[in-house]
Amino acid sequence: MFRYLVRRTLWAIVLFLVIMFVTFVIFFMAPNNPARAVCGGDQARSGCIMLATEKLGLDKPIYIQYGRFIGRLLPVSTPLSFSGGVHLLTPHYKTPSLGTAFATSEELNQTILKAAPVTASLVIGGAVLWMLLGLAVGIYSALKPRSLLDRGAMVFVLIGVSAHPVWIGLILSYFFGVKWHLTPIANYANFFGAPSDSGLPGGPWQWFYHMILPWCTFALLFAALYVRMIRANVMETLNEDFVRTARAKGAPERRVLLNHVLRNALLPVVTMLGMDIGVALGGAIFTEYVFQLPGLGRTAILAINNQDLATVQAVVVFATVAILFFNLVVDLLYAWIDPRIRLS
């Protein structure tokens, strides 16, 4: 298991470097001028552009720019030092830096730290909800095929895979927020509470109350896919020889379902969950836009409108790290469920 962990971690690091190179090419070598954006876009003066170009290091060779870009993201630097006449490399530990926003000159570390918990609340809460719905409806549909619930679940699947998140969000907001006044339709409440002089809601209950509709909107998109996949996997596994053998030996049906059927049927689901976390980070943009959540998606949209490439790049870097981390966790979970994986 340790060798498998090391191998997957090294592969994640290599993939991170490759994605960062592509990100660097897109944002710094594409036909655009970050210095002009810093100085106000089309109204920028030539003197300001020259100073901004020097400050941003855009006058340096490409390999130096890329080295500085990667160096900011690494938590360790190794400057040269001298001790007793001996040339040494002394490691220095630092906080990885995402740079500074072009539009506001704000440290992007702080911008991401403010927006990331909002997106994390949306994605993780939505993932828990869609897994609960998918498991419950998918397993029951597989155990009771062609029943009334099974047919209703297939209608639910058709709606879920066809509808757009903006449409789902607006429909839920109209009925539950505007018409029935059951939930808020916009804004975000901090889980740990808002400052007393801000006038904003805060605390665990307000956080949960404001996130109900975004979670439901987010979960409906993915739950439909998981219902279909879990139903198909469970029905296929129920017909396997090892399930018939377990039943022939007199094992209780509950034990057969939990230890034999679900353990094997959920392997593809775990893989799909790892990939969908990345898709969910991108899909969060629409949900955050509908419910006015100050997350990464809304931050990226505002940055694009302001031509702030540094902020967009910071969101891309953070999302990349998050996706690689979740994929690594899913790989380890997959290996724990199926020991054959870590031996391959």
Side-chain angles (χ1 to χ4, degrees):
M1 185 67 180
F2 178 74
R3 292 177 58 187
Y4 179 82
L5 173 61
V6 172
R7 189 164 64 247
R8 296 304 303 170
T9 303
L10 292 176
W11 175 245
I13 293 173
V14 171
L15 189 59
F16 171 78
L17 293 176
V18 171
I19 295 175
M20 289 304 97
F21 177 75
V22 175
T23 303
F24 175 79
V25 169
I26 292 174
F27 286 98
F28 285 91
M29 295 182 64
N32 57 59
N33 190 346
R36 180 178 294 275
V38 172
C39 293
D42 296 335
Q43 306 299 325
R45 298 180 178 178
S46 58
C48 178
I49 294 176
M50 292 178 61
L51 291 175
T53 300
E54 182 179 355
K55 183 178 180 180
L56 295 173
L58 299 177
D59 56 339
K60 304 296 182 183
I62 292 299
Y63 64 90
I64 293 180
Q65 295 184 46
Y66 181 67
R68 290 179 175 177
F69 170 65
I70 293 296
R72 290 201 314 265
L73 300 177
L74 297 179
V76 179
S77 61
T78 54
L80 293 174
S81 65
F82 294 89
S83 178
V86 181
H87 199 54
L88 299 175
L89 281 174
T90 304
H92 287 226
Y93 297 94
K94 62 183 181 65
T95 302
S97 174
L98 295 171
T100 305
F102 292 165
T104 62
S105 298
E106 182 182 2
E107 287 292 330
L108 289 173
N109 284 18
Q110 298 300 320
T111 302
I112 298 300
L113 284 177
K114 293 177 184 176
V118 181
T119 302
S121 299
L122 176 62
V123 173
I124 295 176
V128 171
L129 184 56
W130 88 53
M131 282 301 299
L132 291 176
L133 286 173
L135 286 171
V137 179
I139 293 174
Y140 189 86
S141 296
L143 296 177
K144 303 289 185 180
R146 292 179 293 277
S147 64
L148 182 61
L149 178 62
D150 183 36
R151 298 180 187 276
M154 292 304 100
V155 174
F156 166 71
V157 167
L158 181 62
I159 296 175
V161 299
S162 304
H164 194 277
V166 173
W167 181 83
I168 294 177
L170 292 176
I171 291 297
L172 293 179
S173 297
Y174 172 75
F175 284 103
F176 290 94
V178 177
K179 191 172 184 179
W180 297 331
H181 304 288
L182 297 177
T183 60
I185 60 173
N187 297 326
Y188 177 77
N190 195 303
F191 181 86
F192 299 101
S196 56
D197 58 347
S198 66
L200 299 175
W205 166 246
Q206 286 294 330
W207 170 80
F208 179 82
Y209 186 49
H210 281 74
M211 292 300 296
I212 291 176
L213 283 187
W215 283 340
C216 291
T217 302
F218 211 58
L220 287 175
L221 301 172
F222 292 92
L225 299 175
Y226 279 77
V227 166
R228 184 171 59 180
M229 171 173 277
I230 292 172
R231 178 182 182 274
N233 290 341
V234 171
M235 291 183 68
E236 181 180 356
T237 308
L238 285 172
N239 295 322
E240 295 289 344
D241 292 337
F242 61 85
V243 175
R244 296 193 188 98
T245 303
R247 286 172 171 168
K249 289 182 177 180
E253 190 65 22
R254 179 186 179 87
R255 183 178 178 183
V256 171
L257 182 63
L258 293 177
N259 294 351
H260 298 281
V261 176
L262 291 183
R263 191 177 182 91
N264 290 275
L266 292 183
L267 286 175
V269 177
V270 171
T271 304
M272 187 175 176
L273 179 62
M275 294 185 295
D276 282 343
I277 290 296
V279 177
L281 287 173
I285 294 177
F286 300 107
T287 308
E288 290 176 2
Y289 179 79
V290 172
F291 295 100
Q292 297 298 299
L293 301 177
L296 294 173
R298 190 180 177 195
T299 300
I301 290 177
L302 294 176
I304 292 172
N305 293 336
N306 294 328
Q307 298 183 355
D308 191 346
L309 296 182
T311 301
V312 179
Q313 182 194 49
V315 173
V316 171
V317 171
F318 181 83
T320 299
V321 173
I323 292 171
L324 290 176
F325 172 76
F326 281 114
N327 280 333
L328 180 60
V329 171
V330 169
D331 285 339
L332 298 179
L333 183 61
Y334 202 109
W336 174 74
I337 295 175
D338 189 353
R340 296 172 297 178
I341 299 299
R342 57 176 177 261
L343 296 177
S344 60

